[in-house]
Amino acid sequence: MNIGAAARASGVSAKMIRHYEQIGLLPAPARRTSGYRDYDTADLHRLRFVRRARDLGFPLDRIADLLRLWSDRDRSNADVKAIALAHLADLDRQVRLLHEMADVLRALADACDGDGRPHCPIIAGLDGDVLAPGHCHEAGSATSSPPRPGAPSGILR
Amino acid sequence: MNIGAAARASGVSAKMIRHYEQIGLLPAPARRTSGYRDYDTADLHRLRFVRRARDLGFPLDRIADLLRLWSDRDRSNADVKAIALAHLADLDRQVRLLHEMADVLRALADACDGDGRPHCPIIAGLDGDVLAPGHCHEAGSATSSPPRPGAPSGILR
DNA sequence: GTTGACCTTCCCATGATGGGAAGGTGCACA
DNA sequence: TGTGCACCTTCCCATCATGGGAAGGTCAAC
């Protein structure tokens, strides 16, 4: 089948299929005389594997590892589990981080009347102005320990 | 003070400070005859604002909005709150998404003995092989509805 | 033959945070 | 005064995954 059909059948966009082929994640499929790519069932199977792994947030280089293990009949499930657990730790870390951010922000937003006046605990919080009136103590202390978005390591893009 | 000192005092790296200036997020500071940037207390105050906003995961274009509101003495706190709440909704969405991924992956990993043998429910789950023996039903159904990492919209990178 | 959907490759963009190269400046110390 | 090293400048590229779009070719229904 052509790339568009493969994309629809796998949930991986044509653009991404080409990209994955280009970076070596996927083998190049057969080509028709027209130059069009021709995907067979094994290709499709592989694409679906990639789709599912992406859906779980695995980065591409980990997916490459998983694909290798998938096709290795002598694989050790311990290797697979190690990859999965490392990624799981990542996911949990991100959840924690985002949760902390959300909590801080929620407290600031809750402290804001949103009545159209200039005074705003959110702004005060970002200002680092712990002497702001009203819910100043909560807002101030909340922004003193927010988590920090790190270097490119996010699961979602 | 020089950019290095400003970076240390604000927590925003020198690279990022230059970048933020380049993209117009921050005004260009004064320059010494050497060509070195010279940051004053207002600059530093602004950098700290940006640091805190970044720590809460606000994207730069939202931070630009917040900076504008911060310096507008006639701002409406409703505008600030709207930005905060939109971002909060984003954070909550991401948490939910990552949480679902983590749950699916945890179930798969828990189902794997990790004893070094080739059989692996994680691989089976990614394979979409719902007929895998053992914890096949749980693993299979789990991977049938995992969330999908989307287009670049992640808070963390 | 025509048309429109699909295909190809290529180049660029996103968002935030860098690394590193090449070359200049400042200052403490000998 | 000279030296050496930390710091500074600008510029270009990279990361990660997912695109958009341009230019040009192919296919199949009508």
Side-chain angles (χ1 to χ4, degrees), chain A residues 1-25:
Chain A
M1 69 174 77
N2 285 349
I3 194 167
R8 282 185 294 276
S10 66
V12 183
S13 70
K15 277 278 188 182
M16 283 302 90
I17 296 177
R18 289 192 197 94
H19 174 60
Y20 294 159
E21 177 191 324
Q22 206 268 323
I23 63 173
L25 183 70

Side-chain angles (χ1 to χ4, degrees), chain A residues 54-55 94 147 149 151-153 156-157, chain B residues 55 94 147 149 151-153 156-157:
Chain A
R54 283 300 299 130
D55 285 346
Q94 306 265 10
S153 62
L156 302 177
R157 298 180 173 283
Chain B
D55 284 347
Q94 306 265 11
S153 62
L156 300 176
R157 301 182 171 280

Side-chain angles (χ1 to χ4, degrees), chain A residues 134-154:
Chain A
H135 303 264
C136 61
H137 182 64
E138 185 183 356
S141 62
T143 61
S144 68
S145 60
R148 170 172 299 188
S153 62

Side-chain angles (χ1 to χ4, degrees), chain B residues 92-130:
Chain B
D92 285 336
R93 194 180 307 120
Q94 306 265 11
V95 169
R96 221 176 298 132
L97 231 169
L98 291 173
H99 225 138
E100 288 175 27
M101 286 186 194
D103 286 347
V104 171
L105 195 55
R106 208 172 331 262
L108 290 181
D110 284 349
C112 180
D113 294 325
D115 54 8
R117 288 179 305 172
H119 168 65
C120 178
I122 300 167
I123 287 283
L126 293 172
D127 194 332
D129 181 6
V130 298

Side-chain angles (χ1 to χ4, degrees), chain A residues 101 105 149, chain B residues 20 23 25 49-50 52-67 83-84 86-88 90-91 94 152-157:
Chain A
M101 285 186 197
L105 194 54
Chain B
Y20 295 158
I23 63 174
L25 183 69
F49 186 98
V50 173
R52 291 190 195 99
R54 282 299 301 131
D55 284 347
L56 292 181
F58 281 103
L60 297 188
D61 49 5
R62 286 297 74 72
I63 294 176
D65 293 338
L66 291 170
L67 281 168
I83 291 170
H87 182 51
L88 185 55
D90 245 9
L91 289 175
Q94 306 265 11
S153 62
I155 304 293
L156 300 176
R157 301 182 171 280

